Every structure is written in C-alpha cells, then in structure tokens.
Amino acid sequence: MELKKDSHAVSIDMLLIVHPEGQADPGAQPPRRAGLQSIGNGIRKWQKLEENDLYGNLAEKQPPQHSQVITSYDNQGTQLTVEVHPQDSMPQLLKRFSLAKRLQGDKNGNTRPRQPGGKDAHAYPWDRSSLKSMSLDVRQFEKLDTYASQVTVKSGLDELVNDLLQEAHSDLERVRAIWIWICHHIEYDIKAAQEKDRQAFKLTDILRTQKTNCDGYAGLFEKMCRIAGVQCMTVPGYSKGFGYQTGQSFSGEFDHAWNAVYLEGRWHLVDSTWGSGLVDTTTSKFTFLYNEFYFLTHPALFIEDHFPDNKNWQLLKPPQSLRQFENNMYHKSEFYNKGMLSAHPATSVIRTVNGKATITMESCAPTLFMFMLNGKQEHGLLSLRKNGMKLDIYPPTMGTHKLQIFAKGNSDIYSSVLEYTLKCNYVDLGVRLPAELHQPMGPSWFSEQMGILKPSHPDPIIHTSDGRCSITFSVEEGINVLASLHGDDDLITEETQRRYIFQLHREKRTELKVQLPRAGKFALKIFVKKRQEPGNYIFVFNYLLCCSNTKVTWPMFPESFGNWGQDNELLEPLSGVLPANRNVPFKLKLHGVAKALVKGQDTWPLTLNSEGYWEGSCSTAGCQEVYVMVLENANHNFYSYILKYKVNDQ
C-alpha cells in the first residue's frame, strides 16, 4: 500500500513469509543475539539492527530517515515483516530477498550451494596446461587489484563489500576484489592458530582487529562472497602448511580451512590464508607476502598441500586417498610460481645409491638454481640445463640429511621450491669435493648470457693425468674474464689462487692454462665483468678439476701485473719458478710496446722477430727474482713491470 503523497510521505512494503507450524525455513540464517526481542502476544517492537543483520553485517546505527522494520508472528507460525523506508528508495528487504533467490540452490528455496559433481572435476595428474582452474590472465586484474587493495573498512561488512564491488562487473571480478582485499588486509593470528579449541572468530572481531586464523579467513571470504551474490563454501581439511614435516601422517582434527567458489558454472578453489603471506619458521612471525598461486588454483596442484574432509571437494578425477596425499611429493607454491614443471625423484624421501643421490628438475624456461644440504652449499654438483637442472649430491656422513633446492625464476631472489629427506647408509670416501665448489657447475645457457661462448670443455668435470689442462672459449667484446683455483689445503692460499692459472688471448679466443700443485680435486672458478662498468667481477660457473697422479707438483705461473695486457701472450717460460744459474729463454707477444727487457742480476734486452714475438735469454746466476719490463713509449725512459719470476735457491 502507499500513503498519501506529501512532503512527509513514506512507502510501506510488506513481505509475507509463511511457515507451517513446527518447521523453519531451511535457508534462514540463525537468529542473532541482539536481533528483534519478543515482548508478548507474538508482537515485536520497533528495533534497529544493532549487531549483525540477515547476512552477518556489522551493526550500523541508522539515522531516522533510513529504513525501519517491524516483525510479528501469530500463533499459527505466520511471520509478518513490515519495512518503512524513504519514498523512491529500494526496500532493503527486497534487496535481501533478491539476493537469497540468487543464492538458492533448489526450487524449495534452500540457500546452501550445490555439492560438486562430475563437471567440476579436473583430470589428475596435472596436465601442465595452466596453474589456474580456468583460462585466466591475471594482468586483466591490475586496475581492479590496485583499487581493491586500497579500500578501507568504514563501518560494516555490507558497506565494505559494496565499496569493493564498485569496480567489479562480473562474478569473477567480485571474487577477485574480495580475495585481494582479504589478502592485503587480514593478518594471520599465530597465537589463535595455536589454540587447541580452534575458536571461531566473529566477523566483527576480524574487521576490528584485522587478524584471524584460517577458519576466520575462510569464514570471512564466504560471507563476503555471499553478500556479493556469489556462491561460496568453506572447506575444512588437512594441509601441508606451517609446521609440516616431510613424510608426516595426518589424523584426528582437521588443521586448516579454505574455500570453494562457484564461477562460470563450475567450482573453483581458493585459499586466502596462504594467499596473504607466510609465517617465519624461526621467529613464528607473520609477514604479508601476496601469493597469487592460491587464487583459483588448478585442483591437481591444490591437492599437493590441501586434503579436504570430503573427497568431492578435491575436484579431481580420480580423487586421491589420504595415504597418497601423505606420500606424494610436496611441491611448494614457489615451485610453480618459479616456473617449475616436474622433479625427479617424485618422492620426498630418497635413499642414496653407493653414497650418491641424483635429482633432476624441469622448468618451463631457463632459470638459476642453488641447493643447501643441511644448511650449507656443499657436497653437491649442480649443473644447469636449458630448461631445468641436474644435481648429484654426496652426503658426507651416514644418516638422515635435509636437502633444499632453490630457484630464481624471473625475480632477483632465490626461493625454496623443493625439500627432500636423504637417507644415506654408505659414504664414498673417494668423493671429496672442495668447499669452494660453488654452483652452477660447468658452462651453460647462463655463461653464454654472461658472454662466454663455445667452451672447449662443455662438461663440468675435467680429468687430467699430468695435472695440467688448457681450457678455451670465446668472449664477447667488452668482457673481461678472471679465474681462480681453489683446493682444500694450504698449498693454495688467497694470495696464490690465480697464480696456478695463466690467461692468454689468441684470435678472439681466451685460453686458461692450469697447472695443479698436487693430486686431488680443485674448483676452477670463472668470473666476468664488463670493462666499461664499475663494480666487482661476477661469478658465472666453475669446473671441477680432478687429478689422481700423486707425482704431480706443478709450480705457480709467473706473477703478472696491471700492465700485462689482455692480448699479450707468453710462450716461455711458463713456470713462475726458474732454475738457478741457468740461461733461460724468453718468448712473448706484447702489444703496443716500444722496448722489452729481462732484469735479473743484470739486464738483457729482448728483440722483436719477424713473427711479432719478443725473444731473448736471461741468466739467473746471482739473483732471487727476475722481471720482464717494457717501455710503452719510445720517447720515455720509464719501464713498467709486467711479469715476475722467482729463482730457486742455490
């Protein structure tokens, strides 16, 4: 009915709800403590909704001109609700009735969303098609994400959702806006999560403190989706989250909760708890760190760390058993965020064979890897492949070891992507790797990217029978190369790390001549630097040099100084230690030099031959050191030192 229209007129809308005596509406929300209070004879007084409304919204004190509600029951169970609202405004009851119709699951008005069925299931195992359960380009959400992350709570949940949906124009965008807001504003409450009773958080408390546990995250997400008119369910279950130990079993009370949301005719999975950030295992502190992976995650990937109480909510065909969930390899979300596709072995516990375990990983694009065995980057050989890596690991002792593998992906930060437990019952004492053997091993796509091309030795391990080897490669224009040799004894000190390597340049090829001081295993580390750029040399890769000949005792090469040019070439003598009381021949190719000489007890000039080499000889009698010196400008009289030799004692 409508009252007479004048300046003070109001509209009265009446919604008649009839229930048979003794039955309740199956879709009705449970009564709220501060709802409408009975005062006798089935008549209820005027009252503003001061706590939670029909859909769990925060209390909002309405000004007099806003809607007010009268509800009455008779003795037959008939409910009469009257709303008085300003003229020309849409009745709130009609809004809620319309929303309930959108959420209803059947013709009887049941608002509980339908259970998942066959059309919701995805094939298992993962087909590598997408990380998402629907075709999606998250870049389409850039504007919406920025907007939603900046929305603030003003009063109630209704108003918050309404503000979030201002820039959302589809159910997918509505869900996205809610997801982004929760992930950027709600902090994980570690203390509450550790309480054994797993108390349920009130939505009012969550919005006030902006802290909750996983139950609160899931409950808040479900309520906000329902207010937005999108079907959503909370799914309890087991998880491989904070505190999970590789290979552990699950039983008893469920430890986590997440959501299923209905979009485009199909159920999809989200976890806003894990999308919001992470807990530091050492400090037990929460840090906001947005994780896109848990938004509409492909079910074949979601099952790796989420096992629901009802197998239908796996959304998989075939579904996995709890035993499979416990035994399956746990790939962290970063495994997929960093572009990984697979890992072998596909079990979390590996037993070594003859003291060795081999792990391979496949990625969708070239990326850098590193590993840690028991917290140290030791006892392993990691080589990069075009799309992945191979790691041979040699535990130093028998027993159980923790192996972590890290990947860089498209970012500048390495993230842990995989963890294994190694069980070793045999140690190969013949395998002792240098502590300075860093990763990666051998040339790869990365060394090409850094300017080192066409290496003479593509394999990371070089065996030498006489303790000497020569390694060549091309170097891009403008790139300087530096190399150092590292062992596990005092024969190679920090001062002499580069004295067992002599670097030469011939016809656009760089040659590294290496002489080992003894038998054993050595790390040959390769660094590069752009000539025109300031800063330090960057490590690129290393070789493992192996020599089993115990008779090897090569001396160091001569010490070179700053004026030894990149394109100079030394043919003889290559040994940095000269015999005493001998005439020693010298032959070098020097560029941009007017004169050259060798200085010992006396001075011996070198002459330039027709092939462009400076030649001559020097007596080592009566001296302890011999220098090669050059005059770069014929008009000057200042000679520069370029090489230094030591002379054996008498």
Side-chain angles (χ1 to χ4, degrees), residues 159-378:
E159 184 176 3
L160 172 61
V161 173
N162 183 65
D163 289 344
L164 286 171
L165 302 190
Q166 294 302 309
E167 297 294 330
H169 308 293
S170 66
D171 281 354
L172 174 59
E173 290 186 350
R174 295 182 186 99
V175 170
R176 179 69 179 192
I178 293 169
W179 155 269
I180 287 292
W181 187 87
I182 292 177
C183 289
H184 286 80
H185 290 84
I186 304 301
E187 179 180 347
Y188 188 72
D189 192 329
I190 300 170
K191 181 180 178 181
Q194 294 173 341
E195 293 181 359
K196 293 182 179 180
D197 61 356
R198 290 171 51 80
Q199 67 177 26
F201 279 73
K202 293 182 179 179
L203 300 182
T204 53
D205 293 336
I206 296 174
L207 290 191
R208 177 177 54 82
T209 64
Q210 299 206 350
K211 294 175 67 174
T212 188
N213 63 2
C214 57
D215 294 316
Y217 275 99
L220 178 62
F221 187 88
E222 178 181 346
K223 286 293 184 182
M224 294 178 74
C225 283
R226 286 174 173 265
I227 292 172
V230 179
Q231 293 188 44
C232 182
M233 292 286 289
T234 294
V235 181
Y238 296 123
S239 69
K240 296 179 180 179
F242 178 61
Y244 169 73
Q245 299 294 323
T246 301
Q248 79 174 59
S249 299
F250 292 89
S251 62
E253 183 183 7
F254 295 118
D255 63 2
H256 194 42
W258 54 93
N259 295 100
V261 63
Y262 196 74
L263 295 169
E264 299 182 6
R266 202 174 192 184
W267 285 106
H268 303 269
L269 301 171
V270 300
D271 187 340
S272 56
T273 308
W274 291 7
S276 63
L278 49 82
V279 176
D280 189 316
T281 55
T282 57
T283 64
S284 293
K285 291 185 178 180
F286 174 81
T287 301
F288 278 107
L289 185 64
Y290 176 71
N291 192 342
E292 173 64 36
F293 179 76
Y294 291 106
F295 179 73
L296 308 184
T297 315
H298 194 292
L301 304 181
F302 204 76
I303 192 61
E304 293 199 13
D305 46 21
H306 292 73
F307 189 84
D309 65 333
N310 183 332
K311 67 179 182 179
N312 291 334
W313 285 115
Q314 294 181 25
L315 307 183
L316 288 177
K317 186 178 181 180
Q320 300 295 288
S321 68
L322 180 59
R323 180 62 60 87
Q324 288 174 307
F325 174 73
E326 292 171 343
N327 294 337
N328 283 347
M329 184 66 197
Y330 171 37
H331 300 113
K332 299 182 179 183
S333 62
E334 284 300 280
F335 181 91
Y336 299 105
N337 287 339
K338 295 291 186 179
M340 303 299 107
L341 296 174
S342 65
H344 182 82
T347 56
S348 57
V349 179
I350 305 175
R351 296 187 181 276
T352 60
V353 178
N354 296 325
K356 171 186 173 183
T358 299
I359 295 93
T360 59
M361 292 181 64
E362 181 184 0
S363 58
C364 60
T367 189
L368 293 175
F369 294 86
M370 61 172 282
F371 75 91
M372 296 186 77
L373 182 67
N374 302 324
K376 296 182 179 180
Q377 298 183 53
E378 297 179 356

Side-chain angles (χ1 to χ4, degrees), residues 245-247 348-352 373-375 394-403 420-427:
Q245 299 294 323
T246 301
S348 57
V349 179
I350 305 175
R351 296 187 181 276
T352 60
L373 182 67
N374 302 324
Y394 303 88
T397 60
M398 291 189 293
T400 302
H401 303 266
K402 180 181 179 180
L403 174 64
Y420 285 99
T421 297
L422 300 186
K423 294 188 178 294
C424 179
N425 56 9
Y426 169 79
V427 175

Side-chain angles (χ1 to χ4, degrees), residues 433-451:
L433 302 177
E436 287 292 324
L437 191 68
H438 293 167
Q439 316 305 319
M441 289 288 302
S444 65
W445 62 266
F446 179 64
S447 54
E448 289 185 2
Q449 182 177 297
M450 300 301 290

Side-chain angles (χ1 to χ4, degrees), residues 13 67 83 85-96 98:
D13 290 281
S67 302
E83 175 182 338
H85 61 89
Q87 188 176 17
D88 299 328
S89 67
M90 184 175 182
Q92 294 298 311
L93 286 174
L94 291 183
K95 285 184 179 180
R96 292 169 193 162
S98 176

